[in-house]
Amino acid sequence: MHNTFDGIIEKIKNDEVWFCPQLFRHVYTHVDGNYAPCCIAANLPYHSSKVGIIEHMNSDIMSEIRYAMMTSKDNPIFNDYCSACKKSEKDYGYSERTRKLKQFEDDLDKLLEIVKTGEIKFKRRQIDFQLRTFGNQCNLDCLMCIPLNSSTRIRQNKQFNHLKMLSFNDYDLDYKDENDYSKLEDEVLELVEHIDTWQIQGGEPFVMKRHYELLDKIIATGHAKNISLEFHTNGTVLKSGNHRMIDYLKEFDNVACIISIDGYGINNDYIRRRSNWDQIVENINELSKLENVNVEVFSTLNLLSVINFHLLREWCEEMNLPLESHILYDPQELHCRNLPDHVKELVAKRNPNEEVLLKALELPRSKQQFDKALSYCHEVDRQYNNALELFKVFPELENV
């Protein structure tokens, strides 16, 4: 294994190997409890209710992927598990891997130190947790959201059976969380002195009571003051029952509250059904008052959100909020590539400096997928009694 490290940092910087920092410090589970190398990677063949954290990180598969990433630029194992980043880099020249690589370009030696013996051994605060084992409870019904990730989406589909209009996976349509994660959470507490960051997602984390219970236990260890939190939230609520999120945030070293917003004003309310723009703005202002909290915006660029993305960008600039975005791949019907050519031209004109978006718009469209997307949106309009209507919110799509 030692020979593997000879000149590896130079090879990484020279793009001679397909290296990703996530495999060396990041521990991720999907909402259904399956481990994966990261949040956009394919599932690994074992479950977090049965396999512990360190056992997962030192599994044969994870070790093989890490070795391949340190020795090659093209390998079947990461081509398979990491196909989302491979495709993104092919289409846009950018991916979650390249973003993380830039983030850790000055700390590669510390990442590699973790596995110099051939197995993961944490010696300091190095772990980045993203364990989505608190359930899928969510208060919104976002048009593009994978149903598995939202209890509201699943409940809404049981009533209207409309999600089969798009290419969602059947498994995601009827998910039930029946797993016991108590052993996993016990191991988290055993590793608490090695936790650097904790990314918390849902569902919607601010309404998930189980995550507050684990936060209470971490705070009780006295280590919270040395741990950074990163919340991915829809920004619509700041409490659940007697739990006030503000009180918890004050206990940790620093906190990034990443607000998922897919449009300015009514655009966001349409795409992220049941949200309220004014309430989101009020909550952002409340969070921004905390000295240890940084608020950022994350936007999913999809068929609808790209139309007025420039308005969201301008609002973020006015609010002094960092904005990050990524291209939606699935469901494929909602990919922005499917917009009519004249709408693509309009979006490109409004966003001349958004290189990734411009490359996505250059991809060939499918009119069939576009038509399915419109039918789906009209059906959702009907479910919500046409309180918001597609062509009134996005008139650019009418008569195309």
Side-chain angles (χ1 to χ4, degrees), residues 272-320:
R272 305 181 70 83
R273 291 292 182 143
R274 306 189 184 205
S275 65
N276 181 286
W277 177 257
D278 292 336
Q279 186 62 61
I280 292 171
V281 174
E282 181 180 328
N283 289 341
I284 287 176
N285 289 332
E286 191 69 21
L287 290 168
S288 299
K289 294 177 183 177
L290 299 179
E291 292 183 0
N292 68 324
V293 174
N294 295 305
V295 181
E296 305 172 25
V297 173
F298 185 86
S299 185
T300 301
L301 299 179
N302 58 64
L303 185 83
L304 301 181
S305 67
V306 299
I307 295 174
N308 291 312
F309 179 63
H310 63 295
L311 298 180
L312 177 61
R313 185 177 61 247
E314 291 167 4
W315 176 78
C316 287
E317 290 173 356
E318 292 173 4
M319 295 284 289
N320 196 28

Side-chain angles (χ1 to χ4, degrees), residues 32-34 43 148 154 168-176:
D32 60 7
N34 283 301
N43 279 355
L148 169 71
I154 291 177
F168 288 113
N169 190 312
D170 287 343
Y171 169 77
D172 296 333
L173 300 180
D174 193 29
Y175 171 70
K176 294 180 180 178

